[in-house]
Amino acid sequence: MNTVGLTESDILDPKTGEPIKFDGKTIGEVVLRDGSLMLGYLKDTEGTCKCMRENGWFYTGDVGVIHPD
């Protein structure tokens, strides 16, 4: 059984890279940041460039919202 342990996760606006509003309505992209996320991208420069940004976040391609509570 595999276990994923994350240091950081958030939902960001994919265009600006800024956190979305905590209103349960604003849609953003789920992003993750940890030292063990990129194993599947070893020696895949093109794949890495599509999902990583200069801000250090791994952009998953999944959408999400954050509720105020």
Side-chain angles (χ1 to χ4, degrees):
M1 183 167 140
N2 295 328
T3 303
V4 176
L6 294 175
T7 304
E8 294 182 79
S9 62
D10 204 350
I11 301 180
L12 303 179
D13 180 307
K15 293 178 184 170
T16 66
E18 297 295 319
I20 63 168
K21 296 178 184 177
F22 287 42
D23 60 7
K25 297 176 187 174
T26 304
I27 296 174
E29 186 169 352
V30 177
V31 294
L32 309 170
R33 187 162 37 198
D34 188 76
S36 63
L37 290 171
M38 299 303 293
L39 183 59
Y41 290 88
L42 182 63
K43 298 182 182 179
D44 182 359
T45 306
E46 183 179 339
T48 299
C49 290
K50 288 180 181 178
C51 66
M52 290 297 294
R53 305 275 170 87
E54 292 84 20
N55 60 9
W57 288 103
F58 171 76
Y59 283 69
T60 67
D62 298 313
V63 297
V65 299
I66 301 176
H67 293 274
D69 59 351

